[in-house]
Amino acid sequence: MGGLSIWHWLIVLLVVVLIFGTKKLRNMGQDLGGAVKGFKEGMKSDGEPVSPGADASSAQSSAQLGGKTIEGEVTKETSTKV
């Protein structure tokens, strides 16, 4: 039972890039990074009240908590050239 070599990991990376594409992987990485950053900020301010002018991202996240959900459906219209 041997471990995976660098070539195995490179092949796995290539397959993942081919399946998901680089744009989607980049977006997932940004989302994951933002979630980790938000978690760290939440752990720092745990139990401490947030001051009114503290941080724009914390003000934005608190505004999202009281938001409304809007449901809708996206449709694609096709146009014909005359």
Side-chain angles (χ1 to χ4, degrees), residues 53-69:
D55 190 13
S57 64
S58 62
Q60 181 184 13
S61 63
S62 64
Q64 289 177 351
L65 292 176
K68 297 179 182 177
T69 302

Side-chain angles (χ1 to χ4, degrees), residues 11-77:
I11 292 171
V12 169
L13 178 65
L14 179 68
V15 169
V16 168
V17 168
L18 288 174
I19 291 173
F20 292 110
T22 56
K23 185 176 181 181
K24 188 168 186 171
L25 288 176
R26 186 180 326 124
N27 290 341
M28 287 183 348
Q30 288 174 348
D31 292 343
L32 180 63
V36 169
K37 183 178 178 183
F39 178 76
K40 286 181 180 180
E41 288 176 1
M43 292 302 291
K44 285 182 189 176
S45 66
D46 190 28
E48 298 174 7
V50 178
S51 61
D55 190 13
S57 64
S58 62
Q60 181 184 13
S61 63
S62 64
Q64 289 177 351
L65 292 176
K68 297 179 182 177
T69 302
I70 300 174
E71 294 184 19
E73 182 177 331
V74 177
T75 59
K76 182 177 180 182
E77 295 182 19

Side-chain angles (χ1 to χ4, degrees), residues 1-17:
M1 291 221 184
L4 295 176
S5 70
I6 187 72
W7 294 109
H8 291 105
W9 287 114
L10 289 174
I11 292 171
V12 169
L13 178 65
L14 179 68
V15 169
V16 168
V17 168

